Structure formats: structure tokens, C-alpha cells
Amino acid sequence: MTTPQYRVVNPATGQTVEEFASATDAEVGQALEAADAAYKAWREVPIEERAKVVHRIGQLFTERAEELASIITEEMGKPLSQSRGEAEFCTDIFEYFATEGPALAADQEIKPIGGGKAVIQKLPVGPLLGIMPWNYPYYQVARFAAPNLVLGNTIILKHAESCPRSALAIQQIMDDAGLPAGAYVNLFATHAQIADIIADDRIQGVSLTGSERAGAIIGELAGKNLKKAVLELGGSDPYVVLDSADVAASAAAAWETRMENMGQACNSNKRIIVMEDIYDEFVTALTNHANGLVPGDPAKEENGTFAPLSSRAAAEGLAAQIKDAVDKGATVHAGGRAVEGPGAYLEPTVLTGVTEGMRAYQEELFGPVAVVYKVSSDAEALELANNTVYGLGGAVFSQDPERARTLARQLDVGMSNVNGVGEGADMPFGGVKRSGFGRELGPLGMDEFVNKRLFYIAE
């Protein structure tokens, strides 16, 4: 008997909590029919009325934040307060697009050289497929769904196999907020069915947030079928500290950023690049934060504890990346091991001495590992920061804002930050190079799956 593809496995205990059947081919067909039928009606609803429904969706995320938080803490191990915060952040995203969406989608008048009147219209394109990951089960869906529902597109949502309960909770919110049947359809699709959905003529685009490998597969399928795609993939973001008036405080900020969601964020500061005159003190401070932590229950968040990763396989895979680095000469200052037992715990780690011959240099380390590099000049910091196949985000810190701006302007990334990280519903998110293409959130989030139609009237 095969193991069900969709199931909840508590990463804190390793125990299977609940299993769900994958969609049948008939259910896939019904989802496509429903999304197509709903699109033909939903696009005719005035955008202001669509925005009111989207606003209500946002309200429900906060109203149900406690319930939603407990679901994903059990599904993927996120500390409960962070789970609650994620649900509430979804409210910000839906409200942003409900409020700003009508203006962002308004006609844009242009001046034809030959006379007449012309506008660029932003119109919906049709049913879309969203393929979402487990690390932010609500937020990832919100940033894809909110602008597209305001635009008048409809959505078939294939969530991560480890997050079926949160997927169903989102569907319930959509239904309760008043979306018409078929405008948002959760579907426990198999990998083979995904290919069939993308190939279906009714689907007009696909958005995936996930691994580089998954992005390559979906990008190939989308290209083969001439479908628009948005791909938000991995990252190995540089976090450059050029100087500091308080090294301990700078290290604490870097550690807190790296440990958010146990390091399982695409735009986490995976490569911390520190100037040599403060490097030793910085590494010591990070090590002090990592030492003495013990595995804990993410639902309780007791002091001195750390949460699990999403799965035992994830913890063991990350431990193998660390071991490869150590075997080739890197130094572990704290942590570095997967905790024995069925849970998905990996000790928060501080790692230095990583060089180009190691997996940890080029591969994404998706978990609680702070890799610190020492540099002796701004030019060396920039060269190291850009020496990666990824290009999602990056940040530069200095007491001299112009010094930081000069370096940050030269980062080969989709999101470059100075003395902080710009995040919010109004801030576009996306990368370059092997971190994917396309943007979500902010005004650019309305511009991906849209027919930018020229409407011309001759004199």
C-alpha cells in the first residue's frame, strides 16, 4: 500500500497526524471546469466589488489567527507566535490589494503620435495555477491570490503535500468571505496531474514558489505549453556588515534574522559577510547565541529552546551539507548536528571557513545555519556577495549610509537593502539569476498575470 501523498506529520514528534487522499482525475477535471466557469462571471463583477470580497478574506485571517497558527505549528513546526504573525500578515496583504488594487489596475492613458485616443487596460487573463510551498503556508498563498482575485482571475491552488490542513483552512476562508464557487479551488493534485493542468487550454498561467529544481520543471512545462510563469525560487542572500558601533547588537540582529522560521526562508541572510576588524567579535557573539539551546515544543516556545525543521529529511539533509563543509576544512563554532530521535531538530549552527569547494558555498542552506565570511575591503565584500548562482535579496550595513548605499547598488539581486530589510505588503518581492523571475506584492504584484491591452479609438 502506498503512502498518501498529502499528510500531516508533526515535525516535533515525527508522528503522522492525518492523511488525505490525492485528487482523482475526475476531481481535477471538475476543478478546471469550475475555475473556468467562475472566471467568466467573476471578471464581469466590478473591480470595487471584487475588492470588497478580498478585503473580507483579509479580515478572516486575523479573526481566525489562533486557529490558523495552531494548524501550521503542527504541520511544519513554526513557533506559534510566528505562525500567528504569519496569519495576521496575510490580512495586510489582502487589505493592501483590496485598497490599492482598483487604482493599480486603472486604465493608463497614452498619447498616440498619430492622433486619436489610446489607453492601456489591465484586464484579467483567466484561471491560474498556484503551486505553493510549506515554509509559509498562508503568506505564500496570500501574495499570489490577493492581487489576482482583485484583477478578476480565478485560482486553482496546489499546496505542499505536508500542509493539507492549512490548505483546507484557506479554502474555508475563501468560501466564507463570499468568493463565488470556483473562483478559488484547493486541489490535492499529484505531480503528474500538475503537468496536465498546465497543459489545459483553460489555464492561462502558473506561479510557483519552491526549490530551484521544482522551478526548472515547472518552467519547462510552462514554456512547452506557452503559459506565463512566475517563479520564486531559492536564495543565498548576502548580509554584509561593513562596520558597527555595537558589534554585539549587530550580531544579535543578524542571528535573529537568520533564525526566523528556523532559517527556512528564501530571503534569509544565508551568507553573513563581515569586515575583518570586527569579525572575531561578531563570530563570538553569534556563537554565544547558539550555545546551550535545546530542542523544544514550537507550540510552547520556552526560553532556551529551538524549534524543529519541517521534516526529518530536511534536518538530515542540512546536517550532510554541514558535514561536507567540515570534512573539507570548515569550522563549526556551535551546533551542527541533527538531534537523534524521530523529531526534525537540527542544532542552530555557526559555521566559518566555508570555501568554494564545499557544498555550503554554492548550495542554499535552508535551516538554522549562520555562515560567516571574513573580508578585508568593500571590493572583496562585493565580489563575494555576487559570487553565487542566486540573486534574490541582499543587505548592507554600515554607520556610513553612503558607503552602504554604494555597495548595495552593485548587488546582483532583485531586492537590495541598506541598514535594514524592506518587507511588507507594499514591497515587491522577487529575484534574478537562478532565484527565478517575476514579482509578487506591491504595485508590481498586479502586473504579472494581466492582459495589458491597448484600447485605441481613431479620431
Side-chain angles (χ1 to χ4, degrees):
M1 184 176 180
T2 59
T3 301
Q5 186 175 353
Y6 289 84
R7 55 182 183 147
V8 177
V9 179
N10 187 334
T13 64
Q15 294 180 342
T16 298
V17 178
E18 190 173 5
E19 298 177 339
F20 297 80
S22 297
T24 65
D25 290 344
E27 288 170 335
V28 171
Q30 291 166 5
L32 287 162
E33 289 177 10
D36 187 52
Y39 168 64
K40 293 171 182 175
W42 185 238
R43 68 181 178 182
E44 299 301 326
V45 174
I47 191 170
E48 292 79 11
E49 295 302 312
R50 296 196 298 261
K52 290 179 181 178
V53 177
V54 170
H55 176 74
R56 181 57 185 151
I57 293 170
Q59 289 179 321
L60 288 175
F61 270 94
T62 289
E63 290 176 14
R64 300 178 185 180
E66 293 299 328
E67 172 194 349
L68 296 172
S70 65
I71 290 172
I72 61 173
T73 292
E74 185 172 43
E75 279 185 330
M76 49 75 62
K78 192 190 301 285
L80 190 62
S81 64
Q82 293 182 27
S83 297
R84 188 182 305 112
E86 180 183 338
E88 293 170 349
F89 186 29
C90 291
T91 297
D92 295 341
I93 295 170
F94 282 101
E95 288 189 348
Y96 170 81
F97 286 106
T99 302
E100 303 296 331
L104 292 172
D107 291 352
Q108 178 184 352
E109 187 170 353
I110 59 176
K111 296 180 180 179
I113 295 174
K117 180 178 180 180
V119 297
I120 304 299
Q121 299 174 318
K122 294 184 178 180
L123 305 176
V125 293
L128 307 172
L129 172 64
I131 305 172
M132 297 295 115
W134 49 262
N135 59 332
Y136 291 92
Y138 302 126
Y139 159 73
Q140 300 283 5
V141 173
R143 69 187 200 182
F144 166 61
N148 284 302
L149 290 173
V150 171
L151 280 165
N153 295 320
T154 56
I155 291 168
I156 294 176
L157 201 292
K158 187 272 177 202
H159 217 315
E161 289 90 342
S162 59
C163 295
R165 282 183 173 174
S166 51
L168 294 174
I170 295 171
Q171 179 71 74
Q172 191 64 56
I173 285 175
M174 299 293 181
D175 295 342
D176 292 348
L179 270 184
Y184 180 98
V185 182
N186 178 72
L187 191 67
F188 290 153
T190 66
H191 294 163
Q193 289 168 339
I194 289 172
D196 293 336
I197 294 169
I198 294 173
D200 191 281
D201 288 341
R202 289 165 289 194
I203 292 294
Q204 298 303 308
V206 56
S207 178
L208 173 132
T209 297
S211 68
E212 183 183 348
R213 177 176 174 272
I217 294 170
I218 296 304
E220 181 180 6
L221 288 169
K224 176 183 176 182
N225 292 284
L226 300 178
K227 303 295 175 69
K228 171 69 183 289
V230 168
L231 303 177
E232 196 275 278
L233 309 178
S236 189
D237 289 13
Y239 185 97
V240 183
V241 184
L242 298 175
D243 56 61
S244 175
D246 187 338
V247 176
S250 294
W255 179 258
E256 182 179 358
T257 301
R258 187 66 185 101
M259 293 302 118
E260 200 275 331
N261 200 22
M262 285 306 290
Q264 299 169 117
C266 298
N267 63 330
S268 181
N269 51 338
K270 300 188 179 81
R271 294 179 298 137
I272 304 173
I273 300 168
V274 182
M275 204 58 67
E276 62 182 355
D277 59 331
I278 60 172
Y279 172 84
D280 289 339
E281 185 180 353
F282 196 99
V283 171
T284 297
L286 286 179
T287 303
N288 290 337
H289 284 289
N291 277 331
L293 298 176
V294 298
D297 183 345
K300 295 180 179 178
E301 297 187 89
E302 295 172 332
N303 289 335
T305 66
F306 61 91
L309 297 187
S310 63
S311 69
R312 183 68 193 177
E316 292 176 353
L318 186 55
Q321 289 174 299
I322 297 168
K323 184 178 184 301
D324 172 80
V326 173
D327 288 346
K328 295 175 181 175
T331 300
V332 169
H333 297 262
R337 297 169 297 183
V339 178
E340 292 186 6
Y345 292 91
L346 183 131
E347 297 168 338
T349 302
V350 177
L351 185 65
T352 64
V354 172
T355 58
E356 289 198 52
M358 303 170 186
R359 291 177 60 194
Y361 190 88
Q362 287 291 357
E363 294 179 6
E364 181 179 26
L365 300 183
F366 212 61
V369 183
V371 181
V372 193
Y373 296 86
K374 178 167 62 177
V375 293
S376 58
S377 67
D378 291 17
E380 184 183 0
L382 178 63
E383 182 180 6
L384 177 57
N386 285 337
N387 188 17
T388 173
V389 298
Y390 296 107
L392 190 54
V396 183
F397 294 82
S398 174
Q399 297 174 83
D400 179 350
E402 184 53 38
R403 181 186 180 191
R405 283 195 292 268
T406 298
L407 199 155
R409 289 189 189 102
Q410 300 175 79
L411 293 179
D412 297 331
V413 297
M415 302 173 288
S416 188
N417 303 274
V418 174
N419 288 335
V421 177
E423 290 185 310
D426 56 343
M427 296 282 186
F429 190 104
V432 296
K433 299 194 285 187
R434 296 189 76 85
S435 289
F437 45 79
R439 295 294 182 267
E440 294 181 310
L441 299 178
L444 302 185
M446 293 286 290
D447 276 355
E448 293 293 346
F449 297 103
V450 61
N451 175 12
K452 298 172 186 175
R453 186 175 73 178
L454 169 66
F455 194 72
Y456 174 72
I457 303 172
E459 290 179 333

